[in-house]
């Protein structure tokens, strides 16, 4: 049998591969960095991190599988929105000798793509974690060839695949709604949505309807349900965003299969179509129009306007996956600035970055004092360590006692903040304190797990 690979990361020596992966992830969260020198802790750690990322046994699938199972556990019994989207990691202006990448979206710069899905609690809007992701490169070659039907189908297939994975993995959720932007306007997806799963997509194509009308014209003779205010997200950093006053219409539409649709797909599909349009946009701003297609019902619901508003609200939870991508890239872990150049290592690092980005957001969210379970964010080992260390961090006065329900996220955050040096008096603890505390707790938990594992080995 081949010798088991050993890694030394942070304060830990002699880690097995799975342990090394878990610790590397926690170190990325704790340090807020993908710079392997920082993540590794010292020279030996840096080398181990490189070796881990380059190990033939380490794959993005394995890293994401672990994350997906944990997310699935957090989703049980809850109403879940699973938002998916594709992001591009582009090394423009950072031309180290990258090996094994394909062209990014501009067709020139080396880069790769990540299609990810995250789970969000539909009711309290909490980010519950990464469900799944696929990482790939486009093959080089003339733009015309890359635009061929084949590739397009392959890339849109990732959306269908993610919906299937969500259906399998999140089968214990109380309700599952998969969500996507205009790229998710895929006829094959509408007719192949897994049973029991709902879908919301932003409409990109002015599709033909069974009555020969066009989709975007359908609402012209529908009544307005009413108006509502929606927050329009900033178009670019620095843009404050705005509140738009919109009117909402919705109805059922029977969409005809596109000409190049798959032979096996049914000829029509009936969905709910929603049109959200801004009434009086401010001067100089284009009126917003959102067109949504969904399997969720509006027509015939006891309160049709409320049902339509709920669909708009659910669609807007898509900001959560955009937030995760930002945290993975320029606004956070800066994946596109990594010194790692080789494709297989980059993909492993991207998988770690994605999961770490979601974890970081969850930790920052948790500062607000949440009644959600600590297991939304932390592994059992971390919770066990928190339970062990928690009482020692409490003082004599009421103010120095952890006021939160044991096992809740707020309870865990209190312990993390204390470990990070928070003195219970000045509040709330900042992200730096949380990071430092998380680093301590993750280290304790890992140390505890390693000690346990080593004990196991000694038992004959
Ligand atoms: Mn997109």
């Amino acid at each position: 049998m081949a010798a088991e690979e050993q890694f030394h990361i942070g304060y830990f020596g002699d880690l097995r591969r799975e342990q090394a992966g878990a610790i590397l992830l926690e170190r990325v969260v704790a340090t807020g960095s993908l710079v392997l020198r920082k993540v590794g802790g010292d020279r030996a750690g840096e080398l181990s991190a490189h070796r881990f990322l380059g190990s033939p046994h380490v794959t993005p699938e394995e890293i994401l599988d672990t994350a997906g199972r944990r997310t699935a556990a957090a989703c049980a019994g809850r109403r879940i929105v699973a938002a998916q989207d594709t992001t591009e990691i582009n090394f423009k202006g950072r031309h180290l000798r990258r090996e094994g990448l394909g062209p990014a979206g501009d067709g020139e710069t080396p880069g790769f793509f990540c299609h990810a899905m995250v789970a969000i609690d539909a009711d309290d809007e909490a980010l519950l974690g990464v469900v799944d992701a696929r990482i790939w490169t486009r093959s080089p070659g003339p733009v015309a060839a890359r635009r061929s039907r084949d590739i397009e189908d392959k890339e849109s297939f990732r959306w269908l695949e993610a919906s299937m994975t969500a259906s399998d993995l999140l089968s214990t959720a109380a309700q599952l709604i998969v969500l996507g932007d205009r790229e998710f306007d895929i006829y094959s997806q509408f007719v192949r949505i897994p049973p029991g799963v709902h879908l919301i997509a932003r409409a990109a194509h002015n599709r033909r309807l069974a009555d020969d009308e066009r989709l975007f014209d359908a609402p012209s003779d529908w009544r307005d349900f009413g108006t509502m205010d929606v927050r329009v997200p900033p178009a670019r950093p620095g843009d404050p965003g705005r509140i738009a006053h919109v009117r909402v219409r919705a109805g059922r539409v029977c969409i005809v299969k596109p000409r190049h649709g798959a032979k096996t797909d049914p000829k029509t599909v009936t969905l709910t179509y929603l049109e959200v349009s801004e009434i009086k946009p401010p001067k100089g701003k284009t009126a917003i129009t959102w067109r949504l297609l969904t399997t969720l019902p509006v027509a015939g619901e006891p309160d049709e306007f409320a049902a339509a508003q709920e669909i708009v609200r659910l669609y807007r939870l898509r900001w959560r996956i955009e937030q995760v991508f930002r945290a993975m890239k320029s606004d956070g872990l800066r994946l596109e600035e990594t010194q790692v150049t080789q494709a297989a290592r980059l993909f492993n690092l991207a998988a770690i970055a994605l999961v770490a980005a979601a974890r970081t957001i969850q930790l920052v969210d948790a500062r607000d004092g949440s009644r959600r379970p600590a297991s939304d964010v932390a592994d059992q080992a971390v919770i066990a360590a928190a339970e062990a260390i928690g009482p020692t961090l409490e003082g004599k006065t009421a103010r120095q006692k952890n006021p939160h329900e044991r096992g809740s996220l707020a309870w865990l955050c209190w312990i993390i903040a204390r470990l990070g040096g928070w003195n219970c008096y000045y509040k709330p603890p900042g992200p730096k304190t949380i990071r430092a505390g998380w680093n301590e707790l993750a280290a304790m938990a890992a140390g505890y797990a390693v000690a346990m594992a080593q004990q196991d080995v000694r038992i004959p």
Side-chain angles (χ1 to χ4, degrees):
M1 205 170 82
E4 185 64 71
E5 292 168 287
Q6 298 281 337
F7 301 91
H8 301 250
I9 294 165
Y11 336 96
F12 308 104
D14 299 341
L15 299 169
R16 284 180 290 111
R17 203 173 68 243
E18 315 86 85
Q19 295 169 334
I23 287 171
L24 204 57
L25 178 71
E26 298 309 347
R27 293 278 304 164
V28 170
V29 174
T31 59
S33 174
L34 294 173
V35 174
L36 297 186
R37 186 173 23 84
K38 268 195 203 165
V39 174
D42 56 16
R43 183 68 184 149
E46 181 182 357
L47 292 174
S48 273
H50 269 290
R51 213 154 40 76
F52 175 84
L53 294 175
S55 163
H57 303 290
V58 176
T59 60
E61 288 75 25
E62 184 188 67
I63 294 161
L64 292 160
D65 193 61
T66 309
R69 273 185 281 119
R70 179 231 220 97
T71 304
C75 290
R78 292 158 102 152
R79 232 179 120 220
I80 298 298
V81 163
Q84 48 175 322
D85 203 359
T86 302
T87 192
E88 173 191 331
I89 292 88
N90 176 320
F91 296 103
K92 197 175 180 87
R94 302 180 196 90
H95 283 275
L96 296 172
R97 292 178 171 273
R98 311 276 176 189
E99 294 163 45
L101 299 179
D106 63 6
E108 286 171 22
T109 317
F112 61 95
F113 296 84
C114 172
H115 185 89
M117 178 183 259
V118 299
I120 302 149
D121 184 302
D123 299 308
D124 67 18
E125 311 198 349
L127 178 69
L128 298 177
V130 175
V131 178
D132 191 30
R134 286 278 175 274
I135 295 165
W136 76 98
T137 54
R138 280 188 191 156
S139 48
V143 174
R146 274 187 284 105
R147 282 208 187 127
S148 77
R149 198 82 224 154
D150 229 41
I151 304 285
E152 239 179 65
D153 286 350
K154 217 157 97 193
E155 291 198 357
S156 57
F157 187 68
R158 288 174 222 284
W159 294 79
L160 277 70
E161 216 177 36
S163 302
M164 285 300 291
T165 304
S167 164
D168 291 345
L169 204 58
L170 310 184
S171 58
T172 55
Q175 191 187 16
L176 177 60
I177 302 144
V178 290
L179 200 71
D181 60 11
R182 289 188 183 92
E183 294 165 279
F184 197 36
D185 181 355
I186 304 166
Y187 186 86
S188 286
Q189 175 70 91
F190 302 154
V191 298
R192 292 184 217 174
I193 190 80
V197 176
H198 280 289
L199 156 159
I200 307 174
R202 189 147 176 198
H205 309 294
N206 194 4
R207 295 177 181 279
R208 198 160 67 82
L209 303 182
D211 59 9
D212 249 349
E213 204 180 13
R214 289 286 167 169
L215 179 65
F216 296 172
D217 301 328
S220 60
D221 52 0
W222 294 350
R223 69 179 177 91
D224 282 354
F225 283 141
T227 60
M228 65 191 277
D229 286 340
V230 294
R231 173 163 281 288
V232 182
R236 66 196 75 77
D239 174 352
R242 63 192 165 96
I243 305 284
H245 195 54
V246 297
R247 76 164 181 226
V248 182
R249 299 174 186 189
R252 289 183 83 64
V253 290
C254 182
I255 294 172
V256 176
K257 177 163 73 173
R259 247 182 306 150
H260 300 292
K263 275 203 180 69
T264 49
D265 283 350
K267 288 196 170 60
T268 62
V269 63
T270 300
L271 296 172
T272 299
Y273 178 57
L274 258 102
E275 190 192 71
V276 176
S277 42
E278 189 170 5
I279 297 165
K280 272 190 199 136
K283 247 197 179 138
K285 301 276 181 190
T286 329
I288 61 155
T289 308
W290 292 331
R291 301 181 167 101
L292 304 178
L293 284 167
T294 179
T295 53
L296 289 163
V298 170
E301 288 297 290
D303 185 342
E304 293 184 333
F305 186 33
Q309 281 178 297
E310 173 67 355
I311 291 164
V312 174
R313 187 185 71 82
L314 294 175
Y315 180 75
R316 294 175 59 67
L317 295 182
R318 232 187 54 80
W319 72 274
R320 281 293 199 180
I321 189 158
E322 290 173 352
Q323 184 192 27
V324 170
F325 285 156
R326 277 201 306 274
M328 171 172 129
K329 303 203 296 185
S330 50
D331 276 7
L333 294 170
R334 303 177 181 279
L335 177 59
E336 63 278 61
E337 286 175 21
T338 178
Q339 300 290 305
V340 174
T341 56
Q342 197 243 337
R345 286 170 204 235
L346 269 172
F347 292 180
N348 287 332
L349 189 66
I352 289 175
L354 178 71
V355 179
R359 297 286 289 280
T360 305
I361 291 167
Q362 292 184 301
L363 284 173
V364 172
D365 283 358
R367 280 181 311 170
D368 304 337
S370 166
R371 293 180 53 84
R372 294 193 285 129
S375 55
D376 277 7
V377 170
D379 285 329
Q380 215 38 61
V382 169
I383 295 170
E387 263 167 355
I389 194 76
T392 70
L393 301 171
E394 299 195 18
K396 289 202 178 75
T397 67
R399 228 172 167 166
Q400 295 168 312
K401 305 252 184 251
N402 190 336
H404 305 288
E405 194 186 326
R406 195 173 155 158
S408 69
L409 199 43
W411 165 85
L412 180 69
C413 234
W414 190 91
I415 293 167
I416 290 172
R418 286 289 286 152
L419 283 170
W422 177 59
N423 64 8
C424 306
Y425 293 98
Y426 300 104
K427 57 180 182 176
K432 249 191 177 159
T433 307
I434 296 287
R435 246 188 229 275
W438 180 254
N439 192 11
E440 290 292 311
L441 185 61
M444 285 174 192
Y448 183 74
V450 170
M452 289 293 115
Q454 282 164 351
Q455 265 178 15
D456 288 348
V457 173
R458 275 187 226 111
I459 294 165

